[in-house]
């Protein structure tokens, strides 16, 4: 079984790039300017598509992703929707 992983650079002042693993529904986001990576668990494909197509990536992230999904800074334990 193959896993679809999509990677995109984001034209954003907040988000440097994203990687979405459709099989695990894990969204990884690298933030500017630190380059820190955060992983968000159980993100539906529709939410990721919304982020990709949003005019303001930061506004979409803050409204529809931040504090709505389990997340962790890469290499750290998972938290219950608390990030950054």
């Amino acid at each position: 079984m193959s896993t679809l992983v999509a990677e995109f650079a984001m034209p954003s002042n907040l988000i440097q790039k994203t990687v979405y693993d459709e099989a695990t529904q894990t969204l990884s986001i690298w933030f500017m300017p630190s380059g820190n990576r955060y992983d968000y668990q159980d993100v539906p494909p529709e939410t990721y598509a919304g982020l990709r197509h949003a005019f303001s990536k930061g506004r979409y992230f803050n409204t529809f992703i931040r504090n709505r999904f389990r997340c962790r800074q890469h290499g750290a334990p998972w938290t219950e929707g608390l990030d950054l």
Side-chain angles (χ1 to χ4, degrees):
M1 177 185 253
S2 66
T3 299
L4 177 61
V5 176
E7 179 176 341
F8 289 94
M10 291 280 168
S12 169
N13 291 327
L14 177 68
I15 297 171
Q16 180 179 6
K17 87 172 183 179
T18 63
V19 173
Y20 182 69
D21 185 325
E22 191 174 75
T24 64
Q25 293 191 334
T26 300
L27 173 60
S28 299
I29 300 178
W30 283 258
F31 289 93
M32 308 244 302
S34 68
N36 289 340
R37 171 182 159 186
Y38 284 78
D39 298 321
Y40 295 84
Q41 192 175 48
D42 300 323
V43 177
E46 301 80 22
T47 301
Y48 177 60
L51 176 64
R52 285 190 45 221
H53 296 101
F55 178 76
S56 171
K57 311 302 185 204
R59 182 173 291 139
Y60 187 92
F61 168 78
N62 284 324
T63 302
F64 296 104
I65 298 172
R66 186 177 188 172
N67 296 326
R68 295 184 180 267
F69 299 97
R70 288 186 73 198
C71 70
R72 67 178 177 151
Q73 187 169 2
H74 185 67
W78 289 102
T79 64
E80 292 300 326
L82 302 174
D83 60 5
L84 299 179

